[in-house]
Structures are given as structure tokens and as C-alpha cells.
Amino acid sequence: MPPTDSGLSSSSDDTLELQLPPDFGALGGDRQSASPDGPAAGPLLDNLAGWGAADTPAGPFALVPVRPDRDLDRITGWMNDPAVAAFWELAGPPETTAAHLRSQLDGDGRSVPCLGVLAGVPMSYWEIYRADLDPLARHYPARPQDTGLHLLLGAGYRGRGLGGTLLRATADLVLDHRPPCTRVVAEPDVRNTASVAAFLSAGFRYADELELPVKRAALMVRDRAHRHLL
């Protein structure tokens, strides 16, 4: 579990100009360019790199595994947004963000950092991780294959109801592509009421409050058994 929070702020300040970089390419081609033996193509998250896009009311949405050579400046900019830094605590030079990404990219695939790309535009940062293999599992009754989410939205995409839409789409991607996973979990800071509200609107339930080393967290759970009811 990174020392961060699912950073959905209610701020609507548009401080970042988010444009698709010239080398980003089509979503399908970009996924295929990921290293075939990298974490995003590994078995712990069932080849996340190949999951494809989900249809949402705001357009097609895909998780594209991070490439630091392409994405570091963008993610560093997001981490230095005060509304994000208050919860993620990763403000600083690019080296700070690079070290955070590298800790996942050099791992065994239990956590994969991704850009969230909506209608062709990279507009959010995600971490999809095996909660049952994470230190978080020491703080709640984890089940095998529990899959966790961390999220931040770029500044121009907050305050528009997109958080709940994309959380629902991402949880559906997890459940569609990870048959052994019976639930998707998250642990936003209880102070981040906008984040908690977004999870609730996405069909997650407020299961518990957890005392974690870096925060008091709301344990949010979306159950496979109830996914079509909420």
C-alpha cells in the first residue's frame, strides 16, 4: 500500500493542460507495446495491459500502464497539485515521482501504475494492486485475489461527477478480467469526503474504518455478487 490516498478532490481549478502527446499512439497499439514480461502483463493482475477499454457515458476509458519516459512529467505535475499533494504526499521534483513509480515497475506485478485515458486523453492516474498481497491486508479481513484501487484525477476533470463514473468502469474492468476476484476494495482517507462520495456513487459500500500507519481510512468495497444491483 503506497503512502497515498485515492485523491479525488472537489476542487475544480483547471491548472493542467492535458493533451495527448505525439508519441502516445492509439490505445490498442500502446498496450501492445508494453514489455511482454513486465508487471502489467503478469499473472498477478491477469495481464492488465491487455484489458482493453470500457464504455462510459463520457467516452471509452482505458487503463494504460505507465511508461516513465513518456509519462513522468505529467504525473509529477499532478502530484504537485496542492489538492492532490494533500492526500498523496508525493509533491516534489520528478525524482520523487520516479521513485514511487519505480517501486512498482521493478516489482513482481502486484501493483501496476496506469494512466487513465478517457476518449483518447490521459486525464487520471491509477494504481491497480493486489490488496491481499499488500500491507493493507494486515488491517482488514482480506480475501484471496482482493484487488485494490488508488486514483487521482487531473485538475480539469474534478467536480464533474467523473470520479464515480470512472471508478465504476474500472471496478467493472477488474471484475470482468479477473474471474477469481470476488471484490474490489479501496481505502481513501476518511477526510477526503469527495473521494468517499465518488466510491459510494460507483456502487462501493462503506464497509469499515481502518487505522492505517499514515491515515484513518474508509474501507470501500464493491462486491462481485452485487455489481449489477448497485
Side-chain angles (χ1 to χ4, degrees):
M1 178 182 62
T4 62
D5 181 47
S6 302
L8 286 166
S9 167
S10 59
S11 170
S12 60
D13 295 336
D14 189 0
T15 59
L16 294 172
E17 185 69 23
L18 303 179
Q19 299 293 335
L20 199 66
D23 65 342
F24 203 86
L27 287 177
D30 189 75
R31 285 195 304 274
Q32 294 167 3
S33 71
S35 172
D37 58 353
L44 290 181
L45 284 167
D46 294 280
N47 188 26
L48 184 154
W51 285 3
D55 291 328
T56 80
F61 177 76
L63 296 168
V64 177
V66 164
R67 286 200 343 237
D69 61 323
R70 180 193 64 201
D71 306 322
L72 180 60
D73 288 347
R74 172 178 286 107
I75 298 171
T76 299
W78 288 336
M79 292 298 182
N80 280 279
D81 180 335
V84 171
F87 294 104
W88 283 75
E89 300 181 355
L90 287 171
E95 291 78 11
T96 299
T97 300
H100 180 73
L101 297 174
R102 187 53 57 194
S103 68
Q104 299 171 81
L105 296 171
D106 287 347
D108 60 5
R110 69 184 60 195
S111 182
V112 176
C114 298
L115 290 183
V117 178
L118 180 64
V121 180
M123 45 69 67
S124 54
Y125 172 74
W126 299 73
E127 292 171 355
I128 312 300
Y129 68 99
R130 283 285 298 274
D132 60 323
L133 303 179
D134 189 86
L136 176 65
R138 297 196 292 263
H139 299 275
Y140 83 106
R143 296 178 185 172
Q145 302 291 335
D146 275 358
T147 305
L149 308 177
H150 296 128
L151 161 67
L152 72 82
L153 295 180
Y157 292 87
R158 300 181 202 136
R160 295 163 46 181
L162 279 175
T165 296
L166 300 185
L167 283 167
R168 182 179 293 274
T170 300
D172 283 340
L173 283 171
V174 171
L175 295 173
D176 286 343
H177 294 280
R178 303 208 65 239
C181 173
T182 63
R183 58 188 189 171
V184 181
V185 304
E187 23 75 34
D189 194 307
V190 295
R191 299 170 299 164
N192 194 342
T193 56
S195 181
V196 172
F199 279 102
L200 291 172
S201 72
F204 287 73
R205 57 185 172 86
Y206 197 117
D208 201 356
E209 290 190 7
L210 309 177
E211 289 292 347
L212 303 182
V214 296
K215 64 186 177 185
R216 184 168 181 80
L219 177 65
M220 310 301 298
V221 177
R222 187 168 183 218
D223 300 285
R224 178 184 293 278
H226 302 146
R227 66 180 294 198
H228 298 302
L229 303 177
L230 298 173

Short mmCIF file of all heavy atoms in Angstrom, two decimals, residues 58-83:
data_model
loop_
_atom_site.label_atom_id
_atom_site.label_comp_id
_atom_site.label_asym_id
_atom_site.label_seq_id
_atom_site.Cartn_x
_atom_site.Cartn_y
_atom_site.Cartn_z
N ALA A 58 -19.04 9.13 -20.66
CA ALA A 58 -18.12 10.19 -21.05
C ALA A 58 -17.20 9.78 -22.20
O ALA A 58 -16.38 10.58 -22.64
CB ALA A 58 -17.27 10.62 -19.85
N GLY A 59 -17.34 8.55 -22.68
CA GLY A 59 -16.49 8.07 -23.76
C GLY A 59 -15.74 6.83 -23.33
O GLY A 59 -15.81 6.40 -22.17
N PRO A 60 -14.99 6.20 -24.26
CA PRO A 60 -14.23 5.00 -23.91
C PRO A 60 -13.13 5.33 -22.91
O PRO A 60 -12.45 6.36 -23.01
CB PRO A 60 -13.65 4.54 -25.25
CG PRO A 60 -13.67 5.76 -26.12
CD PRO A 60 -14.83 6.58 -25.68
N PHE A 61 -12.96 4.43 -21.95
CA PHE A 61 -11.97 4.64 -20.90
C PHE A 61 -11.08 3.42 -20.80
O PHE A 61 -11.57 2.29 -20.75
CB PHE A 61 -12.66 4.88 -19.55
CG PHE A 61 -11.69 5.04 -18.41
CD1 PHE A 61 -10.98 6.22 -18.24
CD2 PHE A 61 -11.48 3.99 -17.52
CE1 PHE A 61 -10.07 6.36 -17.20
CE2 PHE A 61 -10.58 4.12 -16.48
CZ PHE A 61 -9.88 5.31 -16.32
N ALA A 62 -9.77 3.64 -20.76
CA ALA A 62 -8.81 2.54 -20.69
C ALA A 62 -7.73 2.85 -19.67
O ALA A 62 -7.37 4.01 -19.43
CB ALA A 62 -8.17 2.29 -22.05
N LEU A 63 -7.22 1.80 -19.06
CA LEU A 63 -6.04 1.88 -18.20
C LEU A 63 -4.82 1.52 -19.04
O LEU A 63 -4.73 0.43 -19.60
CB LEU A 63 -6.17 0.89 -17.04
CG LEU A 63 -7.32 1.15 -16.06
CD1 LEU A 63 -7.50 -0.06 -15.14
CD2 LEU A 63 -7.08 2.41 -15.26
N VAL A 64 -3.89 2.45 -19.15
CA VAL A 64 -2.69 2.26 -19.97
C VAL A 64 -1.48 2.25 -19.03
O VAL A 64 -1.21 3.25 -18.36
CB VAL A 64 -2.54 3.39 -21.00
CG1 VAL A 64 -1.24 3.22 -21.79
CG2 VAL A 64 -3.74 3.41 -21.94
N PRO A 65 -0.78 1.13 -18.91
CA PRO A 65 0.36 1.06 -18.00
C PRO A 65 1.35 2.20 -18.22
O PRO A 65 1.65 2.58 -19.35
CB PRO A 65 0.97 -0.31 -18.31
CG PRO A 65 -0.20 -1.12 -18.77
CD PRO A 65 -1.05 -0.17 -19.57
N VAL A 66 1.84 2.74 -17.12
CA VAL A 66 2.74 3.89 -17.15
C VAL A 66 4.08 3.51 -17.77
O VAL A 66 4.62 2.43 -17.52
CB VAL A 66 2.96 4.43 -15.71
CG1 VAL A 66 4.18 5.35 -15.64
CG2 VAL A 66 1.72 5.16 -15.23
N ARG A 67 4.59 4.41 -18.61
CA ARG A 67 5.97 4.37 -19.07
C ARG A 67 6.64 5.65 -18.60
O ARG A 67 6.28 6.75 -19.04
CB ARG A 67 6.04 4.31 -20.60
CG ARG A 67 5.66 3.00 -21.20
CD ARG A 67 6.18 2.81 -22.63
NE ARG A 67 6.60 4.03 -23.30
CZ ARG A 67 6.09 4.44 -24.48
NH1 ARG A 67 5.13 3.76 -25.08
NH2 ARG A 67 6.54 5.54 -25.04
N PRO A 68 7.60 5.57 -17.66
CA PRO A 68 8.20 6.80 -17.13
C PRO A 68 8.79 7.71 -18.20
O PRO A 68 8.71 8.94 -18.07
CB PRO A 68 9.28 6.26 -16.18
CG PRO A 68 8.73 4.96 -15.72
CD PRO A 68 8.06 4.37 -16.94
N ASP A 69 9.37 7.15 -19.26
CA ASP A 69 9.96 8.00 -20.28
C ASP A 69 8.92 8.87 -20.97
O ASP A 69 9.22 9.96 -21.45
CB ASP A 69 10.72 7.16 -21.32
CG ASP A 69 9.82 6.17 -22.05
OD1 ASP A 69 8.91 5.61 -21.42
OD2 ASP A 69 10.03 5.97 -23.26
N ARG A 70 7.69 8.42 -20.99
CA ARG A 70 6.61 9.16 -21.63
C ARG A 70 5.77 9.96 -20.64
O ARG A 70 5.30 11.06 -20.94
CB ARG A 70 5.71 8.16 -22.37
CG ARG A 70 4.52 8.75 -23.10
CD ARG A 70 3.55 7.65 -23.50
NE ARG A 70 2.97 6.99 -22.33
CZ ARG A 70 2.43 5.78 -22.33
NH1 ARG A 70 2.40 5.07 -23.45
NH2 ARG A 70 1.93 5.27 -21.22
N ASP A 71 5.59 9.42 -19.43
CA ASP A 71 4.54 9.91 -18.54
C ASP A 71 5.03 10.62 -17.29
O ASP A 71 4.21 11.18 -16.55
CB ASP A 71 3.66 8.72 -18.09
CG ASP A 71 3.11 7.93 -19.27
OD1 ASP A 71 2.76 8.57 -20.28
OD2 ASP A 71 3.04 6.69 -19.17
N LEU A 72 6.33 10.62 -17.01
CA LEU A 72 6.81 11.13 -15.73
C LEU A 72 6.46 12.59 -15.51
O LEU A 72 5.99 12.97 -14.43
CB LEU A 72 8.32 10.93 -15.61
CG LEU A 72 8.94 11.43 -14.29
CD1 LEU A 72 8.34 10.72 -13.09
CD2 LEU A 72 10.46 11.24 -14.33
N ASP A 73 6.66 13.44 -16.52
CA ASP A 73 6.39 14.87 -16.33
C ASP A 73 4.91 15.11 -16.01
O ASP A 73 4.57 15.93 -15.15
CB ASP A 73 6.80 15.67 -17.56
CG ASP A 73 8.31 15.78 -17.72
OD1 ASP A 73 9.03 15.46 -16.75
OD2 ASP A 73 8.76 16.18 -18.81
N ARG A 74 4.04 14.43 -16.70
CA ARG A 74 2.61 14.60 -16.49
C ARG A 74 2.22 14.18 -15.05
O ARG A 74 1.53 14.90 -14.34
CB ARG A 74 1.81 13.79 -17.50
CG ARG A 74 0.31 13.77 -17.21
CD ARG A 74 -0.48 13.01 -18.25
NE ARG A 74 -0.56 13.78 -19.49
CZ ARG A 74 0.11 13.51 -20.58
NH1 ARG A 74 0.92 12.48 -20.62
NH2 ARG A 74 -0.01 14.25 -21.65
N ILE A 75 2.68 13.02 -14.63
CA ILE A 75 2.31 12.53 -13.30
C ILE A 75 2.93 13.41 -12.22
O ILE A 75 2.30 13.69 -11.20
CB ILE A 75 2.70 11.05 -13.15
CG1 ILE A 75 1.95 10.20 -14.18
CG2 ILE A 75 2.40 10.55 -11.74
CD1 ILE A 75 2.44 8.75 -14.26
N THR A 76 4.17 13.87 -12.44
CA THR A 76 4.79 14.78 -11.48
C THR A 76 3.97 16.05 -11.34
O THR A 76 3.77 16.56 -10.22
CB THR A 76 6.22 15.13 -11.92
OG1 THR A 76 7.01 13.93 -11.96
CG2 THR A 76 6.87 16.12 -10.96
N GLY A 77 3.46 16.57 -12.45
CA GLY A 77 2.61 17.76 -12.38
C GLY A 77 1.37 17.52 -11.54
O GLY A 77 0.98 18.36 -10.71
N TRP A 78 0.74 16.38 -11.72
CA TRP A 78 -0.43 16.06 -10.92
C TRP A 78 -0.07 15.96 -9.44
O TRP A 78 -0.80 16.44 -8.58
CB TRP A 78 -1.05 14.75 -11.38
CG TRP A 78 -1.75 14.82 -12.70
CD1 TRP A 78 -2.29 15.94 -13.29
CD2 TRP A 78 -1.99 13.74 -13.61
NE1 TRP A 78 -2.85 15.61 -14.50
CE2 TRP A 78 -2.68 14.28 -14.72
CE3 TRP A 78 -1.68 12.39 -13.60
CZ2 TRP A 78 -3.08 13.49 -15.80
CZ3 TRP A 78 -2.06 11.60 -14.67
CH2 TRP A 78 -2.76 12.15 -15.76
N MET A 79 1.05 15.30 -9.13
CA MET A 79 1.43 15.11 -7.73
C MET A 79 1.75 16.44 -7.04
O MET A 79 1.66 16.55 -5.81
CB MET A 79 2.63 14.17 -7.62
CG MET A 79 2.34 12.74 -8.03
SD MET A 79 1.08 11.97 -6.98
CE MET A 79 1.04 10.31 -7.69
N ASN A 80 2.12 17.45 -7.81
CA ASN A 80 2.42 18.76 -7.24
C ASN A 80 1.22 19.70 -7.20
O ASN A 80 1.34 20.84 -6.75
CB ASN A 80 3.59 19.41 -7.99
CG ASN A 80 4.92 18.87 -7.54
OD1 ASN A 80 5.46 19.28 -6.51
ND2 ASN A 80 5.46 17.91 -8.28
N ASP A 81 0.08 19.25 -7.66
CA ASP A 81 -1.17 20.00 -7.48
C ASP A 81 -1.51 19.95 -5.99
O ASP A 81 -1.61 18.88 -5.40
CB ASP A 81 -2.25 19.32 -8.31
CG ASP A 81 -3.60 20.02 -8.21
OD1 ASP A 81 -3.87 20.70 -7.21
OD2 ASP A 81 -4.41 19.85 -9.15
N PRO A 82 -1.70 21.10 -5.32
CA PRO A 82 -1.94 21.08 -3.87
C PRO A 82 -3.11 20.20 -3.46
O PRO A 82 -3.06 19.57 -2.40
CB PRO A 82 -2.20 22.56 -3.55
CG PRO A 82 -1.44 23.31 -4.59
CD PRO A 82 -1.56 22.47 -5.84
N ALA A 83 -4.17 20.15 -4.28
CA ALA A 83 -5.33 19.33 -3.92
C ALA A 83 -4.98 17.85 -3.90
O ALA A 83 -5.58 17.06 -3.15
CB ALA A 83 -6.47 19.59 -4.89
#
